[in-house]
Amino acid sequence: MLNVFQDQASGLRRLMGCENEASSAPGHDLETLLNPIDGIGFTEFMKRLNSNRIPFLDLTHTTINKAPLDIVSEDKIVMYISQSANSIKESYGIIKHLAKTTINHEIGLLISTQNHTLAETIYRNLTHATSNFREISLVKLGYIGLGNTYIESLSVHNSNLTSQ
């Protein structure tokens, strides 16, 4: 797993154009890089993120308040959120902060909830709340039921905010 707090200076260097390397495979979206994820374990999912060098933000128990510098320049990010109001609020704050940059961000959401319906509602509400952020594209990766370690797909269709 990439440590998003490890080297904030590297994120700043990339923002300033000193480093032009992309951290994830060019031309591939999150869905292509990570799918199929339905039925895989959380550990396997983390291995896929690590092998594709996609930053992972766990917002299920931690408050971050603003996006760390080294993810601001990333075009692909995965956020792991829970059904708690604080987790949803944190994810919205980070999305809002990322929307202020000039980089287009594809943000995959992995949601820890009681059931599929609640995960869909959380995704739909975040999509609606961030619909004015043209630089942001949300991808619903799936959800993990409480007490489970296996990912289940939310649905076959993913939404890009720019198409709504």
Side-chain angles (χ1 to χ4, degrees):
M1 172 172 51
L2 292 176
N3 182 354
V4 294
F5 299 103
Q6 185 177 26
D7 184 12
Q8 291 189 353
S10 69
L12 187 57
R13 284 191 298 273
R14 281 189 296 236
L15 279 174
M16 297 177 70
C18 297
E19 292 181 15
N20 291 326
E21 65 185 52
S23 64
S24 52
H28 292 97
D29 59 8
L30 276 174
E31 190 175 13
T32 304
L33 287 171
L34 301 176
N35 274 338
I37 63 170
D38 191 31
I40 71 167
F42 190 78
T43 305
E44 177 62 29
F45 179 72
M46 294 306 295
K47 287 179 186 175
R48 287 185 189 184
L49 289 178
N50 193 33
S51 68
N52 287 298
R53 300 194 43 81
I54 298 172
F56 178 80
L57 292 176
D58 184 352
L59 302 174
T60 56
H61 304 292
T62 310
T63 51
I64 294 179
N65 294 327
K66 76 190 244 193
L69 280 178
D70 57 340
I71 69 158
V72 171
S73 63
E74 297 291 334
D75 60 340
K76 293 169 185 54
I77 301 164
V78 171
M79 285 191 212
Y80 181 40
I81 64 174
S82 70
Q83 63 191 30
S84 75
N86 284 339
S87 181
I88 296 167
K89 182 176 139 184
E90 290 293 324
S91 64
Y92 174 77
I94 291 172
I95 292 168
K96 185 175 178 182
H97 183 75
L98 292 172
K100 294 177 183 177
T101 66
T102 58
I103 298 169
N104 290 327
H105 299 281
E106 186 177 18
I107 301 172
L109 294 176
L110 182 61
I111 306 169
S112 174
T113 63
Q114 293 174 343
N115 58 51
H116 176 273
T117 305
L118 185 54
E120 278 287 350
T121 301
I122 292 168
Y123 177 79
R124 187 175 49 252
N125 290 345
L126 271 173
T127 300
H128 180 70
T130 59
S131 62
N132 290 330
F133 302 151
R134 299 269 181 224
E135 303 79 11
I136 303 295
S137 175
L138 294 183
V139 176
K140 47 185 166 180
L141 296 176
Y143 84 100
I144 298 178
L146 298 178
N148 197 352
T149 59
Y150 290 94
I151 299 169
E152 297 181 45
S153 291
L154 283 172
S155 69
V156 178
H157 177 68
N158 283 313
S159 299
N160 287 337
L161 292 178
T162 55
S163 64
Q164 291 183 352

